[in-house]
Amino acid sequence: MTTRRNPAPAPLLRGGPRVVTPHTGSPRAGRRRQPLAELLTRLTERDIWLLEMLAEHTVLTSAHINALWDNSLRNTNRRLLTLYRLGLLDSFRPRAVSGSAPEHYLLARNGASILAARHATTPAALGWSPDLITRTAYSPTLAHDLGATTFFTSLAAASRTSPHPERVDAWWSEQRCARVWGDLVRPDAHGRLRRPDGPTVAFFLEYDTGTEPHARLAAKLDAYADAAPALGGRPLVVLTLPSSCRETHLHQRLARHPALHAVDVATTARDHMPPAAAAHEPLGPVWLRLGRPTHRQRLAELPAEHPDAAERREAVAALAGPVAPHPFGHDFLGALRRP
DNA sequence: GCAGTACAATAATTTTCCAC
DNA sequence: GTGGAAAATTATTGTACTGC
């Protein structure tokens, strides 16, 4: 095991210790207060959609945003810098294991104010506060939360290039799930994948960092089994694990768990790569059914939800507010509802 | 004017090597 | 074992150019 010479854990907040030579000029320079009405002439639908996404998911890295925008990284970074200078976004860069970390973006005051105006509410009601960046940058769950985010942005990017025309229909944050289902279940996210022939694979994401004991994961499955009637039938829980070794042990321990009578569970290991794949691909054949691990399946091949369950879920979700559809093409994440 | 592309320069960090 | 210098890695930004 190697040790770091400079193990300071503090994230780098913009305006912090990041040194820029006078020759290039500070990349953070030029930020000034902008009247909100003036900003209206500068914002595109894509920008507004990004603000909505940040309100929903709190923090996204430049790579996440690039994947969602389906853009070149250069263009994504340039636009993000513009939005930062307009006071719409805040950002920080945590320490990285190797090299430097990507920029992490959140809503800044102007961005929160514009969103609040659009939803006829206040920035505070949207979860924004002046110390949001500090709370987020130093959050002990930041890596876990970003892991769940990476799962969905990978899914979204892959669905655009996949030969299988599935579509990511929805991506709900942990906070939205808590608002909809309360203490019944606490997934890290909820998503829906729509097959081209109509059925929808709705799933609850549990992102495992390898720190929870098997008993804790078993207890989560019990909670899903208990909540199954309220969740609209037989819920599908997808568990993404850090290693094949942990996945194997989990299957050995939980293959006959009683909750499997009421819950469908599929696992994947993030170090597992299908043949000819360059990286772990959550849309690909990487999922093993718990209790019946005959072969690895694609996410779209996992059990689709019953139409009645979909109807019941939509009714519950409708209580959470209006829809902000994706403005450019693929309308995944269309279920952005704000209470 | 804005978005997109390409290239070069720069920053922040870890890793490696080497002298002491 | 420790500390410093150089190399390597990863990511961002400035600039020039093109096209709409």
Side-chain angles (χ1 to χ4, degrees):
Chain A
M1 179 168 172
T2 58
T3 57
R4 296 170 59 179
R5 289 224 180 110
N6 301 302
L12 302 177
L13 304 182
R14 290 220 207 215
R18 199 172 173 204
V19 177
V20 178
T21 64
H23 172 69
T24 59
S26 168
R28 306 290 163 241
R31 185 168 180 171
R32 58 190 177 89
R33 292 182 65 83
Q34 298 272 353
L36 294 185
E38 184 182 319
L39 290 178
L40 281 175
T41 64
R42 304 289 304 276
L43 295 183
T44 65
E45 280 185 85
R46 188 180 64 177
D47 297 333
I48 297 290
W49 182 73
L50 174 61
L51 299 182
E52 296 273 8
M53 292 297 290
L54 287 171
E56 171 78 13
H57 301 289
T58 307
V59 58
L60 298 169
T61 68
S62 54
H64 290 150
I65 296 167
N66 187 58
L68 294 173
W69 277 359
D70 191 22
N71 206 339
S72 69
L73 189 56
R74 180 70 194 94
N75 284 326
T76 296
N77 283 338
R78 179 167 33 207
R79 189 59 188 170
L80 290 173
L81 182 60
T82 299
L83 298 179
Y84 170 82
R85 286 175 171 165
L86 291 172
L88 295 159
L89 304 181
D90 252 333
S91 78
F92 65 91
R93 289 173 75 176
R95 306 275 176 184
V97 175
S98 175
S100 55
E103 205 74 49
H104 290 50
Y105 287 92
L106 318 84
L107 278 183
R109 182 181 298 276
N110 283 351
S113 297
I114 287 176
L115 271 195
R118 286 173 62 88
H119 290 283
T121 183
T122 63
L126 296 175
W128 188 87
S129 64
D131 67 341
L132 176 65
I133 185 170
T134 310
R135 283 190 287 114
T136 305
Y138 288 92
S139 168
T141 64
L142 177 63
H144 169 272
D145 299 343
L146 290 173
T149 297
T150 300
F151 174 89
F152 274 94
T153 55
S154 300
L155 212 56
S159 69
R160 285 193 298 266
T161 58
S162 169
H164 306 279
E166 293 115 6
R167 193 182 64 182
V168 181
D169 243 12
W171 168 23
W172 291 9
S173 66
E174 183 178 0
Q175 290 73 25
R176 177 175 298 279
C177 292
R179 287 196 297 271
V180 172
W181 291 297
D183 291 330
L184 282 177
V185 289
R186 299 301 294 263
D188 296 321
H190 168 69
R192 294 197 302 276
L193 189 68
R194 185 173 296 280
R195 296 178 187 161
D197 54 343
T200 300
V201 177
F203 57 88
F204 297 92
L205 174 70
E206 293 289 346
Y207 187 88
D208 178 64
T209 56
T211 58
E212 290 190 323
H214 289 156
R216 173 78 186 118
L217 296 176
K220 286 184 175 180
L221 299 188
D222 290 337
Y224 281 104
D226 292 343
L231 297 176
R234 189 178 174 86
L236 169 62
V237 179
V238 300
L239 198 53
T240 162
L241 303 155
S243 68
S244 299
C245 180
R246 182 165 170 82
E247 185 181 36
T248 301
H249 289 157
L250 189 78
H251 277 259
Q252 290 170 348
R253 289 286 300 273
L254 300 181
R256 292 180 177 78
H257 192 69
L260 296 182
H261 293 296
V263 182
D264 285 312
V265 182
T267 69
T268 188
R270 296 191 288 278
D271 64 357
H272 172 79
M273 287 188 284
H280 179 70
E281 171 49 68
L283 202 60
V286 298
W287 296 96
L288 271 183
R289 300 277 299 278
L290 191 57
R292 49 179 113 171
T294 53
H295 65 288
R296 293 205 181 257
Q297 295 175 278
R298 302 180 63 253
L299 186 59
E301 294 168 349
L302 297 177
E305 66 179 349
H306 192 277
D308 290 349
E311 200 171 308
R312 208 175 315 175
R313 173 178 39 70
E314 288 300 321
V316 172
L319 300 176
V323 175
H326 192 295
F328 44 100
H330 42 90
D331 66 346
F332 79 96
L333 319 176
L336 278 177
R337 299 178 176 88
R338 172 88 21 212

